[in-house]
Amino acid sequence: MYRVRTRFAPSPTGALHLGGVRTALFNWLFARHHGGTFLLRIEDTDLERSRTEWESGIIEAMRWLGLDWDEGPFRQSERFEFYRKSTNLLREKQAIYSCSCSAEEVAARRQGSFGYDRHCRPGFGPGPVPGRDCALRFAVPPGETIVIEDLVKGPVSFSTDEIEDFVIVRSDATPTYQLVVTADDIDMQISHVIRGDDHLKNSAKQVLLYRALGAPLPAFAHLPQVLGADRSRLSKRHGATDVLSYRETGYLPDALVNFMARLGWSHGDEEVFTRERLVELFDLPAVGRSAGVFDSEKLEWLNGEHLRQLPDENIAALLREFLERRGESLEGTPAWQARLVGVLRDRSRTLAELAEQSGLYCRNDITIDPKAAQRGLGPEAADRLRSIQSVLEQCQEWRADRLEQSLRATSEELGLKLGALAQPLRIALTGSTASPGIFDVLELVGRERARTRIAHAITQCVPPAP
């Protein structure tokens, strides 16, 4: 019976970047959509550049994104004996040969754009220099055409005359990418190799290795690149590329997953997807051939949409976790925190924005914007704030609806529109002329802070003319 088995195989030579996330996500979605298996494999054969801290960061990022794996993580550095067996099989089939040429010698004899000139290949050159350490090269058969039936790009052809005899084992006996990837995919029974289209030429080489090893080919799907807004290759200048930095700046994993899924895949004009709906709908025929463009504004918008889909209590819990990672805390009971989130959520697109706005309700002191004071704390404001202060002292229940009743009654008694009281009160409580509903603000600031802030604002009012 046909079984879908996909894999994500990052190298721990740096942080997990957005292009890698998109590759991991599409493999994960494809496996989940088809009820298949998703593997995580760490490609750490570059012993000089690989670091355990980078591996830990990759795994942490995958877990934060919710891209759970069914098997692994496998580490290629622990499978060298298996790769030796694959090498021996290729030697038995006379598909490889020893090469003593140094990189400098290869460069000196380079023929145009073609790489190695087969100097050491039997029947083509004099052979390796005795006594030198040798690499092992794959003997690419000349005059053949390799056709990859790509599930995204369609048929892609390569002439073997344009593929050099590539190294599969270095002169220090360490295996190269081409060998270990192919051997692992065969051994792990990967059914679909889904990765960026910068690997297309690698796939042609690996098709040759599959054939030499006597293994059936997987299906290939090469994804278009992720570009910046200026249509150049995505880099740090387009925004953060370390995935965990998005967690630290207040993005939700489901929002980032939604955003990355739309970089190359679509379902009509739909933009906002839950994780469950992505699993239900995703399939490779809907992946486009054009490059996806990273749009940070769209990511912020999507994050806000996902925030608004969550219950207030859930957002409050996420906000607490976000602040704890920054060494901060959110005051109040869980019920007060949920109430705070309910008031602020429509004004925030990220947890960072939510944290910044929530600080107003947790600080004892605020700074009144001079422009706000000039607009709303004129000579008449002091008396109006004193009237508000007096009314508030009488309030038994500090709830938005009760506070609204009291202040509306006061505005009627004074013969004023409600706004004439609300605007100086808003400036007193928030230091600004813009805020959520003033009665919600009043409730959340609390009785004691409201008393202190109003008293301070009275001192900032322009005194009456003599």
Side-chain angles (χ1 to χ4, degrees):
M1 182 178 178
Y2 182 78
R3 296 171 57 213
V4 167
R5 288 175 63 84
T6 66
R7 47 73 165 177
F8 177 53
S11 297
T13 54
L16 181 59
H17 56 80
L18 292 173
V21 169
R22 205 271 303 267
T23 298
L25 175 62
F26 280 26
N27 277 279
W28 184 85
L29 286 172
F30 186 74
R32 294 291 175 261
H33 176 76
H34 290 281
T37 302
F38 175 61
L39 288 74
L40 177 61
R41 189 172 73 217
I42 305 298
E43 298 193 340
D44 58 351
T45 55
D46 187 340
L47 302 179
E48 290 186 3
R49 297 175 58 219
S50 295
R51 297 287 184 272
T52 54
E53 58 266 31
W54 292 125
E55 178 184 326
S56 297
I58 290 169
I59 290 174
E60 183 180 357
M62 293 283 287
R63 286 175 173 156
W64 175 65
L65 290 167
L67 303 182
D68 56 320
W69 52 91
D70 305 299
E71 297 179 17
F74 302 103
R75 294 172 181 83
Q76 290 183 333
S77 60
E78 299 171 354
R79 292 170 56 82
F80 278 17
E81 182 58 36
F82 169 72
Y83 304 136
R84 276 191 282 273
K85 293 178 181 177
S86 298
T87 302
N88 290 337
L89 180 57
L90 290 171
R91 184 180 284 112
E92 290 172 6
K93 295 190 174 185
Q94 298 183 336
I96 58 177
Y97 60 92
S98 297
C99 174
S100 62
C101 297
S102 66
E104 293 76 15
E105 290 169 337
V106 171
R109 297 195 305 267
R110 188 178 302 277
Q111 300 174 355
S113 61
F114 193 75
Y116 182 58
D117 64 354
R118 300 178 175 134
H119 180 82
C120 293
R121 180 168 171 174
F124 286 82
V129 176
R132 278 195 188 180
D133 291 333
C134 289
L136 295 177
R137 289 183 180 271
F138 184 83
V140 177
E144 294 187 10
T145 299
I146 299 170
V147 179
I148 296 174
E149 299 291 343
D150 195 88
L151 297 178
V152 172
K153 295 184 173 297
V156 183
S157 299
F158 294 90
S159 169
T160 57
D161 292 334
E162 297 175 352
I163 302 174
E164 68 174 345
D165 289 2
F166 51 93
V167 174
I168 66 162
V169 178
R170 302 178 185 91
S171 59
D172 64 1
T174 57
T176 66
Y177 169 79
Q178 304 294 356
L179 174 64
V180 297
V181 167
T182 307
D184 279 342
D185 284 347
I186 293 170
D187 183 56
M188 297 173 187
Q189 299 179 324
I190 300 302
S191 66
H192 291 74
V193 174
I194 304 170
R195 56 190 177 187
D197 60 10
D198 53 331
H199 282 282
L200 256 173
K201 194 164 185 179
N202 286 330
S203 294
K205 295 177 180 178
Q206 289 158 24
V207 165
L208 294 172
L209 284 169
Y210 271 95
R211 293 176 180 172
L213 291 167
L217 293 177
F220 288 98
H222 289 90
L223 310 174
Q225 295 294 297
V226 179
L227 304 178
D230 59 358
R231 298 280 173 170
S232 64
R233 190 179 179 90
L234 189 67
S235 66
K236 289 183 179 179
R237 73 175 184 276
H238 299 111
T241 52
D242 178 355
V243 174
L244 289 177
S245 67
Y246 287 94
R247 180 183 66 181
E248 304 315 314
T249 48
Y251 288 88
L252 303 181
D254 280 357
L256 190 55
V257 162
N258 183 167
F259 176 75
M260 297 307 297
R262 288 287 288 108
L263 290 181
W265 172 86
S266 63
H267 181 72
D269 295 329
E270 204 168 339
E271 292 287 354
V272 182
F273 297 87
T274 63
R275 188 178 299 259
E276 293 74 21
R277 186 155 173 77
L278 284 173
V279 170
E280 175 190 350
L281 296 174
F282 183 87
D283 211 350
L284 291 173
V287 175
R289 299 183 183 184
S290 301
V293 177
F294 181 86
D295 183 342
S296 57
E297 291 187 5
K298 183 175 180 181
L299 173 57
E300 283 194 6
W301 172 78
L302 267 176
N303 202 72
E305 294 297 305
H306 279 267
L307 264 179
R308 283 184 278 278
Q309 290 179 0
L310 295 173
D312 293 342
E313 295 79 6
N314 292 27
I315 301 177
L318 291 170
L319 180 59
R320 287 194 298 271
E321 293 173 7
F322 176 76
L323 290 170
E324 286 169 5
R325 283 195 299 273
R326 302 202 311 192
E328 302 172 25
S329 61
L330 183 64
E331 71 171 39
T333 65
W336 182 87
Q337 294 170 354
R339 176 83 172 95
L340 174 68
V341 164
V343 169
L344 300 179
R345 61 188 297 165
D346 289 341
R347 293 170 169 262
S348 306
R349 293 187 294 180
T350 67
L351 292 173
E353 291 181 359
L354 193 57
E356 182 179 356
Q357 293 188 48
S358 67
L360 175 71
Y361 302 87
C362 303
R363 294 192 299 267
N364 289 325
D365 300 319
I366 64 165
T367 300
I368 295 177
D369 178 29
K371 291 183 179 179
Q374 187 177 9
R375 289 179 58 185
L377 296 183
E380 73 288 344
D383 286 340
R384 293 174 182 178
L385 286 172
R386 290 189 186 97
S387 297
I388 293 171
Q389 184 80 288
S390 177
V391 170
L392 294 180
E393 292 292 345
Q394 308 301 317
C395 286
Q396 300 299 313
E397 294 183 79
W398 199 265
R399 290 192 346 235
D401 56 343
R402 297 298 188 190
L403 295 166
E404 181 178 1
Q405 290 175 8
S406 298
L407 290 181
R408 285 190 181 278
T410 302
S411 67
E412 291 175 5
E413 290 173 9
L414 296 175
L416 298 171
K417 292 183 178 181
L418 181 61
L421 293 181
Q423 190 66 341
L425 178 59
R426 176 175 286 107
I427 295 170
L429 295 178
T430 70
S432 171
T433 57
S435 76
I438 187 60
F439 305 111
D440 291 324
V441 171
L442 192 53
E443 176 188 329
L444 289 166
V445 166
R447 187 187 297 273
E448 293 304 318
R449 284 191 175 119
R451 180 187 293 124
T452 300
R453 293 182 186 184
I454 292 171
H456 173 68
I458 291 172
T459 68
Q460 304 299 304
C461 291
V462 176

